[in-house]
Amino acid sequence: MFYITTPIYYVNARPHLGTTYTTVIADVMARYYRLMGEDTFFLTGTDEHGINIQRIAESKQITPQQYCDEFASVFQETWKKLGIQYDDFIRTSEDRHIKIVQKVFESLLNKGVLYKGLYKGWYCPRCESYYNFEDLEETDCPVHKSKVDYLEEETYFFSWSKYQEKLLEYYANHPDFVVPENRYREIISFVERGLKDISVSRTSVSWGIPVVSSPEHTVYVWLDALLNYLSAVGFDSDGALFSSWWPPRVQVIGKDILRQHAAFWPAVLMAIDLPLPGHIMVHEFFLVTGSKMSKSGGNVFDPLFLIDELSKLTGIDPQISADALRYFLIKDGPEKNDSDFSFESFINRFKVDLANDWGNLVNRTFGLMLRVGLNKVPDPDELYDNEFKTEVQKYIELYHQCFSQLSPKEALNQICAILRFLNTYIDTHRPWSAEEKERDRCLYHILEGIRIVSILMLPFMPFSSEIILRSLNYCTDKIDLKTETSLFKIIPDTPIFLNLPPLFPRPK
Ligand code: MSP
């Protein structure tokens, strides 16, 4: 059972390359585990409550619900165009979610981990987070550089401090709970510095979920949002569904929301006696000339714009452009270090890796076969190349290892290594000038390499990989990554569709 989540996205902006990055990582992981034959559940959605959305809707003179409806569909449409294959899309304004948040709040009250008090302090509506005075920059939010609100209101506090020791013990016993390690060290030292109880309800925010026993309070948007991971899989409503999926194996997040996911969320789960997620997988940021890409920074890139531009420059189908963007995100995205984005770097990656390395390998192999009149997989005459086998198998094993170590970027690098090996193989064996037997033997191995690469590439570039596999006459309906990547499975004499137009033509 593989349950994976993305954060649910604020509906204050269209998806941009940063939010797209988180989603593509989760999709690649989900596709990989599905292809490995695991039952997989991939959850994403939108985070719709809170003072920020309430104010935006007021300024537009529409209801918050109308505003959220519009944006939730923008997210859904964008993910569809990017080939994101989620199993459920949860919205925090849905009834199924509201009911669960209300129940969990009451159960936290009954367990005595919430108490009423007065919150006095600062709050940034953009990050929906509380700040101490010493954390502010002058009087502004340190993240958004914009005005914070001063609050003085009755609230329910969650006894976060009670969980400090339990959390530290949990971290010590689960050394890969947060990946990568530097982010794990960060959260451990945050908790070691001491947890202060946190306000989990607001009386001045109407666009939120009312607390059943005190309806003048609405639930703090972060508590509300985190509970989506429970409400989507039937917590307290569908026992069978819930027990089949809970807990998530992987929760993908960016580094800005580490504390909420690795210290607050586990404490809430401990309070309601539920097992914790397997791994919190943390990535870094996309930057633009050194600053975080964000709506408030005014430097965002829209993934759909990038797809359109690439299609305009190359004439390729938008689905192939979407694949190219997915490839770029994983290859050059901020997996362990921040990464500066530019349009040129995206186009350049397309030219070097996709047009030159992968596209060209397919084109020249198919081109040569057409020229010499071969339209079937040639027969290697039992002369399998063992060095070829050892080399390719080595990368396949590493590819699986990288996935289990939660590094899709490194897994992709293993495919790139196979592509480099195949290009060198064809250059050294020179099938265009070899005698027929040698030529056929070389082409057999190259076609087998193309088949393996296309299968391994399915989680990253599903659309393009399927086109290549279909041209090899390979049934893509039910591919099992484990068995289909054993070597020399391509069958001699299988007809091949060689008239494949160049998949990744060089941009004009
Ligand atoms: N709504 C909260 C999450 C609640 S989950 C219970 C939220 N939403 S968000 O829309 O602001 O951001 C969601 C994700 O996008 C985060 O993982 C965040 O790190 C990621 N990114 C936003 N900007 C980013 C970059 N510039 N670069 C990479 N990812 C970044 O937080």
Side-chain angles (χ1 to χ4, degrees):
M1 290 296 191
F2 184 78
Y3 174 25
I4 184 164
T5 67
T6 71
I8 47 171
Y9 301 104
Y10 288 133
V11 284
N12 61 351
R14 297 175 59 84
H16 60 72
L17 218 53
T19 43
T20 304
Y21 180 59
T22 316
T23 314
V24 168
I25 292 183
D27 186 61
V28 166
M29 299 282 296
R31 282 177 182 268
Y32 170 78
Y33 279 97
R34 245 179 247 130
L35 287 162
M36 289 293 282
E38 286 221 38
D39 280 336
T40 298
F41 191 82
F42 168 22
L43 175 69
T44 189
T46 40
D47 185 356
E48 304 188 352
H49 292 125
I51 188 69
N52 196 30
I53 300 300
Q54 184 180 318
R55 286 180 186 160
I56 297 176
E58 271 161 18
S59 73
K60 294 186 179 298
Q61 297 183 318
I62 52 174
T63 64
Q65 190 66 64
Q66 278 171 324
Y67 173 78
C68 293
D69 289 348
E70 216 173 279
F71 262 94
S73 36
V74 172
F75 273 87
Q76 286 164 341
E77 280 156 25
T78 307
W79 297 157
K80 193 166 171 209
K81 290 188 175 149
L82 277 152
I84 306 296
Q85 223 174 40
Y86 53 76
D87 294 290
D88 198 355
F89 188 99
I90 187 149
R91 301 181 51 191
T92 53
S93 60
E94 285 175 80
D95 265 0
R96 61 170 171 157
H97 175 71
I98 293 173
K99 276 190 203 132
I100 297 305
V101 173
Q102 290 182 322
K103 277 191 181 172
V104 170
F105 202 93
E106 292 306 307
S107 118
L108 291 171
L109 269 171
N110 294 336
K111 284 173 187 277
V113 290
L114 300 184
Y115 60 92
K116 248 187 197 163
L118 185 71
Y119 176 77
K120 276 193 195 177
W122 287 265
Y123 189 84
C124 171
R126 295 254 189 96
C127 25
E128 298 283 5
S129 293
Y130 301 96
Y131 281 100
N132 296 321
F133 185 69
E134 56 280 14
D135 298 330
L136 300 178
E137 273 179 19
E138 303 277 307
T139 50
D140 291 344
C141 165
V143 178
H144 292 97
K145 322 283 177 211
S146 55
K147 285 267 154 294
V148 289
D149 300 335
Y150 178 72
L151 306 181
E152 213 172 299
E153 64 185 47
E154 186 189 75
T155 188
Y156 280 101
F157 283 100
F158 171 71
S159 310
W160 202 6
S161 56
K162 269 196 191 159
Y163 292 90
Q164 182 166 333
E165 288 314 312
K166 270 184 107 177
L167 284 169
L168 290 172
E169 196 186 317
Y170 191 86
Y171 299 151
N173 292 331
H174 299 83
D176 54 5
F177 176 58
V178 175
V179 178
E181 211 193 326
N182 61 330
R183 294 291 157 207
Y184 208 8
R185 285 197 301 271
E186 176 185 327
I187 201 66
I188 292 173
S189 78
F190 167 72
V191 176
E192 278 172 347
R193 285 198 298 277
L195 293 174
K196 281 204 329 204
D197 291 351
I198 178 173
S199 156
V200 289
S201 73
R202 301 284 310 266
T203 46
S204 58
V205 179
S206 58
W207 179 236
I209 302 180
V211 172
V212 175
S213 52
S214 298
E216 67 284 11
H217 288 253
T218 52
V219 178
Y220 170 44
V221 61
W222 262 104
L223 177 58
D224 162 354
L226 286 161
L227 295 176
N228 89 87
Y229 304 133
L230 288 175
S231 53
V233 288
F235 175 66
D236 216 27
S237 64
D238 183 339
L241 183 73
F242 186 69
S243 60
S244 63
W245 294 115
W246 195 262
R249 178 102 59 94
V250 177
Q251 301 209 270
V252 186
I253 61 163
K255 62 179 168 184
D256 51 335
I257 53 177
L258 175 66
R259 290 181 186 181
Q260 291 89 340
H261 280 83
F264 177 52
W265 170 228
V268 172
L269 289 173
M270 285 173 177
I272 51 177
D273 301 314
L274 283 178
L276 268 48
H279 309 281
I280 307 290
M281 177 179 175
V282 191
H283 65 73
E284 306 290 301
F285 285 156
F286 261 119
L287 312 177
V288 180
T289 50
S291 312
K292 182 188 175 198
M293 186 188 292
S294 67
K295 191 192 173 202
S296 54
N299 57 1
V300 291
F301 279 85
D302 184 327
L304 299 186
F305 165 79
L306 296 173
I307 290 175
D308 278 356
E309 286 302 296
L310 182 62
S311 282
K312 271 190 221 153
L313 287 172
T314 55
I316 57 180
D317 187 289
Q319 280 176 292
I320 297 182
S321 291
D323 268 5
L325 182 61
R326 293 168 61 104
Y327 179 91
F328 169 81
L329 289 173
I330 300 295
K331 180 83 185 171
D332 291 315
E335 188 176 278
K336 291 201 174 63
N337 295 297
D338 287 348
S339 145
D340 222 88
F341 177 77
S342 69
F343 184 68
E344 293 68 36
S345 57
F346 169 50
I347 297 299
N348 207 38
R349 185 53 81 192
F350 178 84
K351 284 185 193 160
V352 175
D353 289 23
L354 298 180
N356 287 2
D357 285 358
W358 195 13
N360 200 26
L361 176 73
V362 176
N363 294 343
R364 61 181 177 151
T365 307
F366 285 15
L368 175 61
M369 290 181 70
L370 271 176
R371 276 201 307 281
V372 299
L374 271 174
N375 57 2
K376 292 178 179 164
V377 176
D379 195 333
D381 212 10
E382 302 283 313
L383 287 170
Y384 297 110
D385 182 339
N386 274 329
E387 255 174 62
F388 177 100
K389 184 175 177 179
T390 317
E391 192 71 6
V392 175
Q393 254 172 355
K394 174 183 84 190
Y395 293 122
I396 297 176
E397 275 160 33
L398 286 170
Y399 166 94
H400 291 299
Q401 249 176 49
C402 297
F403 267 111
S404 64
Q405 291 163 352
L406 303 181
S407 181
K409 181 188 259 194
E410 281 308 314
L412 183 56
N413 282 337
Q414 307 313 314
I415 311 180
C416 296
I418 301 181
L419 279 169
R420 275 195 303 275
F421 170 74
L422 294 174
N423 275 307
T424 312
Y425 195 89
I426 202 167
D427 287 343
T428 38
H429 287 79
R430 305 174 59 81
W432 49 87
S433 57
E435 53 95 14
E436 200 176 306
K437 266 200 158 174
E438 269 310 300
R439 178 198 72 195
D440 285 1
R441 188 175 171 234
C442 171
L443 285 174
Y444 174 86
H445 284 84
I446 294 295
L447 289 171
E448 175 63 344
I450 293 174
R451 181 188 73 86
I452 298 267
V453 163
S454 310
I455 292 178
L456 297 177
M457 200 64 109
L458 277 166
F460 302 93
M461 300 182 64
F463 189 75
S464 318
S465 309
E466 274 204 39
I467 294 181
I468 300 179
L469 286 169
R470 279 201 302 268
S471 73
L472 294 177
N473 214 341
Y474 202 79
C475 173
T476 54
D477 289 351
K478 230 179 169 266
I479 289 187
D480 176 344
L481 251 185
K482 271 189 242 147
T483 53
E484 300 298 314
T485 49
S486 55
L487 265 100
F488 306 140
K489 273 198 93 170
I490 197 164
I491 303 164
D493 286 336
T494 311
I496 303 189
F497 307 105
L498 295 165
N499 289 316
L500 186 70
L503 270 186
F504 313 116
R506 288 182 75 80
K508 277 168 240 140

